[in-house]
Amino acid sequence: DSGVTQTPKHLITATGQRVTLRCSPRSGDLSVYWYQQSLDQGLQFLIQYYNGEERAKGNILERFSAQQFPDLHSELNLSSLELGDSALYFCASSVKVWAPNTQYFGPGTRLTVL
Amino acid sequence: DAKTTQPNSMESNEEEPVHLPCNHSTISGTDYIHWYRQLPSQGPEYVIHGLTSNVNNRMASLAIAEDRKSSTLILHRATLRDAAVYYCILNTGNQFYFGTGTSLTVIP
């Protein structure tokens, strides 16, 4: 158990819909990262927040957005969903924001878009 | 372009050592090398990391080439629970760059 929690574990929805994935970091970790893992793309970094502020952006689509709240939990919002958005979404957290920022990953949310 | 390259798959016999190689020829002086593993249906799990010197912990050892363009993760005695996908990652600044990983099969 990494100490990072993610909800829900599974999510099934239809194309065009909007969903919200939630992540609670390890106690004391200020930095939160979101990743997408699909079969054909591997693990792709989406976005990073540190203490409520966006710090880095990766391959995140404009239809996706995230935020980190004052209690440090984070939410990833996915809108206008397409079939290709079906994937595992992982949240990770770390104490440090700069290398070596060892990240601890949650169990993931499996999103299926029908 | 991937910053790390690893073999797609490897096999090992149970209770034997395993050496998982990784090439990272474009590594810069401040990039850390991390290794994570991912068991089926789980999130990636931290294994070890290093900068220049070889590193040991209770899970594994990390051997880093003198020019830092390659590294090797060493599992001293493979068990069935070590069957996973092993990722070699460059930690640049605040980002992780995952490779495609090596799927390790442990044969009883």
Side-chain angles (χ1 to χ4, degrees):
Chain A
D1 184 356
S2 67
V4 177
T5 60
Q6 289 186 248
T7 56
K9 196 166 185 175
H10 300 278
L11 199 48
I12 301 174
T13 188
T15 54
Q17 295 298 305
R18 173 190 169 95
V19 297
T20 297
L21 313 184
R22 183 188 167 103
C23 168
S24 292
R26 292 189 323 156
S27 176
D29 285 359
L30 298 179
S31 200
V32 169
Y33 311 76
W34 286 98
Y35 291 84
Q36 179 192 58
Q37 186 174 38
S38 56
L39 281 174
D40 58 345
Q41 292 284 332
L43 264 159
Q44 299 282 318
F45 167 70
L46 296 178
I47 198 164
Q48 178 200 10
Y49 278 82
Y50 178 77
N51 204 20
E53 293 192 4
E54 182 185 305
R55 289 300 294 259
K57 253 184 176 177
N59 300 320
I60 188 165
L61 299 172
E62 284 192 15
R63 300 184 285 109
F64 296 0
S65 65
Q67 52 184 331
Q68 186 179 26
F69 294 86
D71 68 351
L72 300 178
H73 91 271
S74 178
E75 293 181 355
L76 179 67
N77 300 298
L78 315 176
S79 61
S80 303
L81 285 168
E82 302 175 0
L83 296 177
D85 297 327
S86 295
L88 268 167
Y89 290 84
F90 290 105
C91 167
S93 72
S94 68
V95 170
K96 295 176 62 179
V97 70
W98 216 252
N101 49 327
T102 300
Q103 297 178 26
Y104 295 89
F105 284 76
T109 293
R110 182 175 294 278
L111 174 66
T112 303
V113 182
L114 301 175
Chain B
D1 288 341
K3 290 179 177 278
T4 64
T5 54
Q6 304 173 250
N8 286 336
S9 61
M10 290 184 65
E11 285 187 353
S12 173
N13 293 320
E14 196 177 8
E15 297 190 5
E16 289 189 358
V18 184
H19 291 236
L20 298 165
C22 179
N23 287 318
H24 28 77
S25 58
T26 61
I27 192 169
S28 69
T30 56
D31 290 349
Y32 281 79
I33 302 156
H34 287 248
W35 283 81
Y36 278 64
R37 70 181 186 182
Q38 188 174 21
L39 280 66
S41 302
Q42 295 188 25
E45 174 190 29
Y46 170 76
V47 177
I48 200 166
H49 77 274
L51 182 62
T52 56
S53 304
N54 294 344
V55 184
N56 300 297
N57 67 20
R58 64 174 181 80
M59 287 183 73
S61 295
L62 175 59
I64 301 172
E66 202 167 325
D67 64 5
R68 301 216 316 131
K69 294 187 177 187
S70 65
S71 62
T72 302
L73 179 70
I74 303 164
L75 307 180
H76 296 287
R77 283 178 75 246
T79 69
L80 296 178
R81 288 181 299 177
D82 291 324
V85 177
Y86 286 79
Y87 292 99
C88 171
I89 299 156
L90 285 194
N91 183 197
T92 300
N94 60 352
Q95 294 204 24
F96 272 27
Y97 293 94
F98 279 80
T100 53
T102 296
S103 179
L104 176 65
T105 300
V106 180
I107 302 167

